Amino acid sequence: MQRLGGLDDALAWAGEIAILAPMSIAGHKLSLNRPSGDPDVDAAFAEAWSSDDLAEGMAAFRERRPPEFRGR
């Protein structure tokens, strides 16, 4: 996704991204710099999908509360 704006807009967007699941964000960043099907990208997403953060995100959704991601 691309957004237009100044420094304040960029900082606000960075703040929104910073509260997301860190393992998923790391996988997305890796995939932006690697070709599709790269084993490192696949491994990063496999790790994220089997993480405690995934379980926390699902529990938080069910319980209607903000998730508390820990990056593991």
Side-chain angles (χ1 to χ4, degrees):
M1 171 185 273
Q2 295 180 359
R3 293 187 182 182
L4 297 176
L7 178 59
D8 290 338
D9 297 316
L11 292 172
W13 193 21
E16 292 173 24
I17 292 170
I19 64 171
L20 300 175
M23 295 177 75
S24 295
I25 296 301
H28 284 290
K29 287 172 64 176
L30 186 63
S31 71
L32 290 172
N33 297 312
R34 304 273 178 110
S36 178
D38 184 284
D40 290 338
V41 173
D42 294 342
F45 280 105
E47 186 177 357
W49 277 96
S50 63
S51 70
D52 292 339
D53 277 356
L54 176 68
E56 166 59 15
M58 293 173 68
F61 179 79
R62 280 192 309 273
E63 296 165 11
R64 298 177 187 219
R65 60 172 173 82
E68 296 178 21
F69 298 119
R70 293 183 171 38
R72 38 186 175 150

